[in-house]
Amino acid sequence: MTVSTHGLRLKSGSHALRSSVELLSSMRFSISLLTVICIASVIGTVLKQQEPLTNYVNQFGPFWAEVFRAVSLNTVYSAWWFMLILAFLVLSTSLCIARNTPKILADWNQLKENVREQSLKAFGHRAEQALGEAPEAAARRIGQTLVQGGWKVKLQQRDTPGGTGWMVAAKAGAANKLGYIAAHGAIVLVCVGGLLDGDLVVRAQMWLNNKSIYTGGGLIADVPAQHRLSERNPTFRANLLVAEGTQSGTAILNQPGGVMLQDLPFSVELKKFIVEYYSTGMPKLFASEIVIHDRETGEKTPHRVEVNHPAHHKGIEIYQSSFDDGGSSVTLKAVPMAVGAQPSSKPFEIQGTIGGSSSLTNGPEKMTLEYTALRVINVENFSGAGNLGGSGADVRKVDLRQSIDARMGAANKTKEQKELRNVGPSLTYKLRDAAGQAREFHNYMLPVKMDSAESTPALFLLGVRETPAEPFQYLRIPADELASMEGFLRLRRALADPVQRERAVQRYVRQAIAADRPDLAQQLAASASRALALFAGPDQALVPGQAKQPAGLQAISDFMETNVPEAERNRAGEVLVRILNGVLFELAQMTREQSGLKPLPLDDRTQAWMAQAVLSLSDAHHYPAPMTFELKDFTQVQASVFQVTRTPGKNIVYLGCALLILGIFAMLYVRERRLWVWLAPAGGADAEKGPESGSGSQATMALSSNRQTMEVDREFEMLKTKLLQVPR
């Protein structure tokens, strides 16, 4: 006997194909895919998408940042595996529809009138009743009543041993089965629309048309053609930045690791950008007055674009996405901050453009100043902001521990109630060293009054942070009577000069000690010199690269812990701080006399200014830059960020959503019911009852439903009363 291996292979192959189709079209496979899609969508919602890799490194660490990049969790919705899952879901649902639709359509017109009488007695909802009508008359009456009630009815005549019987078969709620097709078809349509409007078409062009992601910089006009998508690109979703008074016709598609450029069949010119704010500083309206320049016809079409009110042109929708700086020009004043600054570090002015940069030198060190952002309106919450670690306190009563705790903190403190106030323009910039390391700074243009006390000085807020993931920490510098930083800077320069410090000590001693007590004067001078030297710290500028030694209030605290017994530390600290404040006051008076200014009056305003100056001098030692930049003037240029989209899959998704609503409604709220009424001649096969027995009929009714609810019970009782009672 011979065995055909070819036949075995064919049978094995067909069995494997059937098994694969069975798996793909099974509900468990579709549910598994939907579960993975839901998990991926949650990840895409929780984890910020398409952020620079450095942001993930700063937030999660290098290991997890690399994991996110490797499995594309930072670009979930454009990841190859996400699109592959969507494609399999479309295939699985389509196979499921193809397998079940013929059965549903075949069952659509099937009323199952051939059911046997004995089978009806097995239904949960059944009833029997003797009728005074002949079977045929009763069948036609019942059928007519059901048709009027919206049922689909079929009558069947049967020969029985007792005579001719009639079967009434009816069905209602057939749309329930169509709901299954509509709901599953909706899933296919939504997924197909999502694939069309996603990155699938862009990826296909990269694979088939040798397109690639652009990772460089420079002007848009200089980007090569292999990084550009044609005007005929059937689907895209890109961003378009247009500054006031300019026009642009090339949008940017963000891609993992770079961008693609999308050429548009028109250019968008921004005539005017309009923005209105709430009292909280949040924008309540931003709109753009634009003109669309058609490249083919040269036609110019004006539009007003607002949020949720896009403009339409040639199948492309232009949405107002956000707004940005369009290249505002700024004038900055460089203010030296380094202790012991050399004459080469004198103040100077520099002009720049937001988004641009300038090269600077600080002695042998080369730096790059990057102009990051200009904000004209800054609404801050000043509730409880008066607690600034000693601001407004008596200059001779500054608590040492509280002063040390008042390090460079946030610009304001917030409590339960809000006090919102616009504090004017601010500038954000970066200082980048020769190695490429950068710190970010955020400086307010105007001095800010932190609380309502009249004596409290306004403060210049100089913010700094090491990474974008951190909040800004602010150095607070008190403004003088001319609303400038010059009074504080004079005091700081004098503090860095040993000769000036010694003069201030002698001046303080002469005012504090009588001339006939030289022994006390010598002791006080020694203590004052020690306190001022500790507070000033070593001359950091003279030893480049050396780690900074303690200075300010921290240096005094360290000295007390090392040299004073703990039992006497509080009292000694109060005395030392009182001496320090007195000497600093005399130093401030000396700087004013040398500049030809009037001495500071001995009032509450001076006490508050000196108290904040002491804290600022202590904190300024920690300022991590050799200079700060004060915003002196600016010319704002606004820019609109538009989202331009061509989405042919949108209508497919809308159709899918409509079908999904109809399908779910049909499956949940439409019940399929089947009704049978068997009408046999009265007396059945018992011939002894004579021919008179044929004047009536015996009815057996049964009802089935795809869902057993109380509504089915009520409907059955209603039908039993309506159909099985003979009108009198």
Side-chain angles (χ1 to χ4, degrees):
M1 183 178 67
T2 61
V3 179
S4 174
T5 57
H6 177 68
L8 289 176
R9 284 196 298 269
L10 287 177
K11 290 182 180 180
S12 176
S14 61
H15 177 72
L17 179 61
R18 285 196 303 270
S19 299
S20 300
V21 172
E22 183 71 23
L23 174 63
L24 289 174
S25 61
S26 64
M27 181 174 291
R28 66 179 182 274
F29 186 75
S30 297
I31 291 177
S32 300
L33 293 177
L34 282 172
T35 302
V36 176
I37 290 175
C38 290
I39 294 174
S41 300
V42 170
I43 295 174
T45 302
V46 174
L47 185 67
K48 287 186 177 181
Q49 298 291 286
Q50 296 184 342
E51 292 283 310
L53 184 61
T54 54
N55 289 9
Y56 299 107
V57 173
N58 294 333
Q59 187 172 0
F60 301 101
F63 173 78
W64 287 110
E66 185 62 27
V67 171
F68 295 160
R69 187 196 63 79
V71 297
S72 301
L73 291 183
N74 57 331
T75 55
V76 167
Y77 304 112
S78 60
W80 65 268
W81 54 266
F82 188 81
M83 291 189 290
L84 184 63
I85 291 173
L86 284 180
F88 268 107
L89 183 60
V90 169
L91 177 62
S92 175
T93 309
S94 300
L95 289 174
C96 189
I97 294 174
R99 189 177 69 172
N100 291 287
T101 297
K103 301 177 184 178
I104 294 173
L105 296 179
D107 189 61
W108 176 266
N109 294 319
Q110 192 176 51
L111 301 184
K112 298 182 180 180
E113 68 275 8
N114 294 321
V115 66
R116 296 182 301 171
E117 176 187 359
Q118 295 299 322
S119 299
L120 300 181
K121 297 181 179 180
F123 282 80
H125 292 90
R126 65 182 184 278
E128 297 185 32
Q129 179 69 34
L131 303 179
E133 301 169 287
E136 182 178 359
R140 298 190 182 281
R141 176 184 63 81
I142 292 173
Q144 185 65 28
T145 302
L146 290 173
V147 168
Q148 293 175 356
W151 292 69
K152 188 174 183 179
V153 179
K154 187 172 184 179
L155 303 181
Q156 183 188 59
Q157 183 180 1
R158 297 182 187 177
D159 292 329
T160 66
T164 301
W166 287 79
M167 173 64 75
V168 181
K171 183 173 72 171
N176 175 269
K177 293 293 181 66
L178 291 182
Y180 172 89
I181 299 177
H184 285 70
I187 295 176
V188 174
L189 291 176
V190 170
C191 292
V192 169
L195 289 171
L196 287 177
D197 289 347
D199 282 352
L200 184 62
V201 176
V202 176
R203 295 292 179 87
Q205 294 187 60
M206 293 172 63
W207 296 330
L208 303 177
N209 295 339
N210 296 323
K211 299 293 183 181
S212 60
I213 294 174
Y214 184 67
T215 58
L219 298 176
I220 290 179
D222 298 334
V223 177
Q226 64 265 28
H227 308 301
R228 294 176 176 268
L229 300 176
S230 168
E231 297 177 0
R232 296 183 297 275
N233 185 15
T235 174
F236 58 83
R237 188 181 301 271
N239 293 321
L240 181 68
L241 180 98
V242 187
E244 283 182 331
T246 66
Q247 59 179 283
S248 177
T250 304
I252 297 176
L253 284 79
N254 291 322
Q255 296 291 315
V259 298
M260 296 282 289
L261 300 187
Q262 173 63 59
D263 292 325
L264 303 175
F266 53 82
S267 296
V268 176
E269 179 185 2
L270 179 61
K271 288 291 187 181
K272 184 180 180 182
F273 179 76
I274 304 165
V275 60
E276 298 177 4
Y277 295 90
Y278 290 105
S279 60
T280 59
M282 295 295 292
K284 67 178 179 180
L285 168 69
F286 46 96
S288 300
E289 302 286 351
I290 66 171
V291 176
I292 298 177
H293 299 260
D294 192 284
R295 292 182 177 177
E296 182 179 355
T297 64
E299 181 183 3
K300 300 179 181 180
T301 309
H303 287 278
R304 178 184 172 94
V305 182
E306 298 181 16
V307 177
N308 298 326
H309 297 282
H312 307 269
H313 190 77
K314 287 192 172 181
I316 298 176
E317 294 180 322
I318 306 171
Y319 292 90
Q320 181 72 60
S321 176
S322 62
F323 59 93
D324 205 341
D325 194 283
S328 300
S329 60
V330 294
T331 300
L332 309 182
K333 178 183 178 182
V335 180
M337 295 294 291
V339 177
Q342 300 301 315
S344 60
S345 299
K346 292 181 178 180
F348 61 90
E349 286 194 355
I350 187 171
Q351 293 183 339
T353 302
I354 300 300
S357 62
S358 300
S359 297
L360 302 173
T361 57
N362 179 43
E365 182 182 7
K366 294 184 178 181
M367 298 182 297
T368 302
L369 173 61
E370 300 175 0
Y371 310 94
T372 306
L374 170 70
R375 293 190 61 181
V376 177
I377 294 179
N378 289 276
V379 176
E380 299 286 354
N381 182 10
F382 286 88
S383 59
N387 182 15
L388 299 175
S391 178
D394 190 327
V395 68
R396 300 180 184 275
K397 296 181 180 178
V398 176
D399 182 77
L400 179 62
R401 287 170 294 179
Q402 291 182 0
S403 300
I404 293 173
D405 290 339
R407 307 313 306 158
M408 297 196 326
N412 53 68
K413 314 289 184 186
T414 58
K415 292 186 178 180
E416 294 182 359
Q417 296 182 350
K418 292 184 178 181
E419 180 189 342
L420 302 176
R421 195 184 338 142
N422 179 21
V423 297
S426 67
L427 173 74
T428 304
Y429 63 90
K430 290 182 179 179
L431 274 179
R432 192 177 302 276
D433 59 22
Q437 300 297 319
R439 289 188 179 93
E440 190 173 18
F441 299 84
H442 181 231
N443 296 349
Y444 289 85
M445 180 179 185
L446 304 174
V448 179
K449 189 79 170 178
M450 303 296 286
D451 61 30
S452 58
E454 184 178 354
S455 61
T456 303
L459 305 175
F460 286 95
L461 303 178
L462 311 181
V464 60
R465 64 182 178 184
E466 297 290 333
T467 65
E470 300 175 356
F472 282 106
Q473 301 294 310
Y474 287 85
L475 172 64
R476 307 176 182 91
I477 295 180
D480 58 20
E481 68 274 14
L482 299 178
S484 74
M485 289 189 282
E486 188 57 34
F488 172 81
L489 295 175
R490 285 196 306 266
L491 179 58
R492 189 157 189 258
R493 287 194 295 268
L495 180 64
D497 186 351
V499 176
Q500 293 278 60
R501 291 202 302 263
E502 186 59 30
R503 290 177 182 174
V505 168
Q506 296 302 325
R507 180 168 172 163
Y508 171 72
V509 171
R510 285 196 302 269
Q511 295 188 9
I513 303 297
D516 57 349
R517 300 295 304 273
D519 54 336
L520 294 180
Q522 186 176 2
Q523 294 179 6
L524 180 59
S527 298
S529 297
R530 165 59 78 179
L532 205 57
L534 287 171
F535 188 80
D539 191 348
Q540 305 293 334
L542 300 180
V543 189
Q546 178 181 348
K548 288 188 176 182
Q549 300 299 315
L553 296 172
Q554 184 63 53
I556 295 179
S557 176
D558 293 345
F559 174 80
M560 299 294 294
E561 291 181 0
T562 305
N563 298 278
V564 179
E566 185 176 359
E568 303 176 8
R569 195 171 295 164
N570 288 338
R571 181 175 177 277
E574 292 176 0
V575 172
L576 196 59
V577 170
R578 189 177 300 114
I579 295 173
L580 172 66
N581 291 329
V583 177
L584 288 174
F585 178 75
E586 296 301 331
L587 188 62
Q589 295 288 48
M590 286 173 49
T591 62
R592 294 182 66 85
E593 292 172 2
Q594 294 166 2
S595 300
L597 301 175
K598 294 181 179 180
L600 291 171
L602 296 176
D603 56 13
D604 292 341
R605 190 184 299 273
T606 297
Q607 290 179 353
W609 190 91
M610 283 300 304
Q612 181 59 50
V614 171
L615 298 178
S616 301
L617 288 170
S618 179
D619 288 344
H621 179 75
H622 300 278
Y623 196 74
M627 63 187 73
T628 188
F629 289 89
E630 184 181 359
L631 179 62
K632 303 301 293 185
D633 194 12
F634 63 89
T635 301
Q636 187 184 25
V637 178
Q638 294 275 25
S640 274
V641 180
F642 301 105
Q643 186 178 77
V644 289
T645 64
R646 178 181 280 158
T647 52
K650 178 180 66 176
N651 294 329
I652 298 176
V653 172
Y654 287 162
L655 176 60
C657 292
L659 285 179
L660 185 63
I661 293 172
L662 293 176
I664 292 177
F665 180 85
M667 289 191 294
L668 294 180
Y669 297 101
V670 177
R671 292 176 292 106
E672 184 186 50
R673 293 99 66 206
R674 291 182 180 272
L675 179 71
W676 295 272
V677 181
W678 167 245
L679 298 163
D686 191 356
E688 295 181 356
K689 294 186 179 182
E692 296 180 357
S693 63
S695 60
S697 59
Q698 182 69 25
T700 303
M701 185 177 77
L703 176 71
S704 70
S705 175
N706 62 332
R707 288 197 305 273
Q708 300 299 322
T709 63
M710 295 179 62
E711 184 64 27
V712 177
D713 298 336
R714 287 192 293 269
E715 185 177 23
F716 179 73
E717 293 299 325
M718 183 271 293
L719 290 172
K720 185 172 65 174
T721 302
K722 192 173 184 179
L723 301 179
L724 301 186
Q725 283 187 348
V726 178
R728 296 184 180 274

